[in-house]
Amino acid sequence: MGKMIRMKMSDGADIAVYQVEAAGERRGGLVLVQEIFGVTDHIRELCDEYAADGYDVLSPAIFDREHPGFEADYTGPDYNRAVELARDLHPFTQSLDDAQTCIDALKDKGPVFITGYCYGGSVAWALAGISDDLTAASCYYGSLVPTVYADQVPKCATIAHFGRYDAGIPMEGVEALIEKAHPTAQIFVYDANHGFNSDRRKDYHEPSADLARERALALFHACGG
């Protein structure tokens, strides 16, 4: 449904962004932030699905500066390269800036929402805590959410989704996050593993993926989207 366009970011870099326009009545804008694996066919499919629900969607290829056109599989050398990009080569703050640039491109037309998966889930939560231009956020299994950004209170209505059996995000941290009871945030735990939303992964859990998406859409609708 969508297409890759080029957008100039705040640092002057020209990067690829997957753009897809809302089908039917427009509900708002949505920035969808990738996993560490790039703007893959899975990410583009998610963008298309949200567009079918009435959202203009932008998904920036945030590693384009370091590795233009990067799309990786979930295993092998591709996985190692994805980890290197996310942890060593690409500044996390640049991802926040890129997502904000996409928000800026959408905000004059109505409410803007954000969602993200894994790495993108951390981006979505972190940006919800600093951006004045977001209406709501839905954050999937971001490892930095219950650690680095646990004390950061989202400025907008925010939900976060975690898998109970996610070895990379221990439940102790998620439970501690829940106990903080941030007034703008709600934390959901699913009987699933990391990456449960992706039907390309071995840990895909359809009931959890469907429920999380229902909750995201319900949040967006409740906030005017």
Side-chain angles (χ1 to χ4, degrees), residues 103-115:
I103 292 168
D104 292 341
L106 294 166
K107 67 182 182 181
D108 290 341
K109 298 180 181 179
V112 182
F113 308 93
I114 191 168
T115 190

Side-chain angles (χ1 to χ4, degrees), residues 20 25 28 31 46 66 69 71 77 91 100 104 106 108-109 114 124 130 137 140-141 161 170 174-175 193 196 203 214:
V20 54
E25 182 181 356
V31 177
L46 292 174
E66 298 83 11
E71 293 186 38
Q100 180 62 51
D104 292 341
L106 294 166
D108 290 341
K109 298 180 181 179
I114 191 168
I130 60 175
Y140 285 77
Y141 33 78
H161 315 276
V174 175
E175 290 168 355
N193 210 320
F196 67 77
D203 291 315
E214 288 175 10

Side-chain angles (χ1 to χ4, degrees), residues 6 9 11 13-16 34-39 60-71 80-98 119:
R6 307 295 298 185
M9 299 292 113
D11 65 341
D14 188 60
I15 72 170
Q34 63 176 67
E35 303 164 310
I36 63 173
F37 307 105
V39 181
I62 52 181
F63 297 151
D64 247 17
R65 297 170 182 81
E66 298 83 11
H67 192 139
F70 180 70
E71 293 186 38
N80 295 334
R81 177 59 171 168
V83 171
E84 180 185 34
L85 286 164
R87 293 182 180 175
D88 301 327
L89 301 180
H90 182 81
F92 186 78
T93 53
Q94 187 63 65
S95 298
L96 299 182
D97 291 344
D98 291 350
Y119 181 95

Side-chain angles (χ1 to χ4, degrees), residues 145-194:
V145 176
T147 54
V148 176
Y149 293 99
D151 292 324
Q152 180 175 277
V153 181
K155 290 186 173 184
C156 62
T158 299
I159 57 176
H161 315 276
F162 296 98
R164 189 179 307 278
Y165 310 116
D166 187 340
I169 307 177
M171 269 296 99
E172 292 83 358
V174 175
E175 290 168 355
L177 177 64
I178 293 171
E179 290 176 0
K180 292 181 183 296
H182 293 316
T184 52
Q186 189 170 7
I187 313 302
F188 295 105
V189 177
Y190 302 80
D191 288 328
N193 210 320
H194 189 80

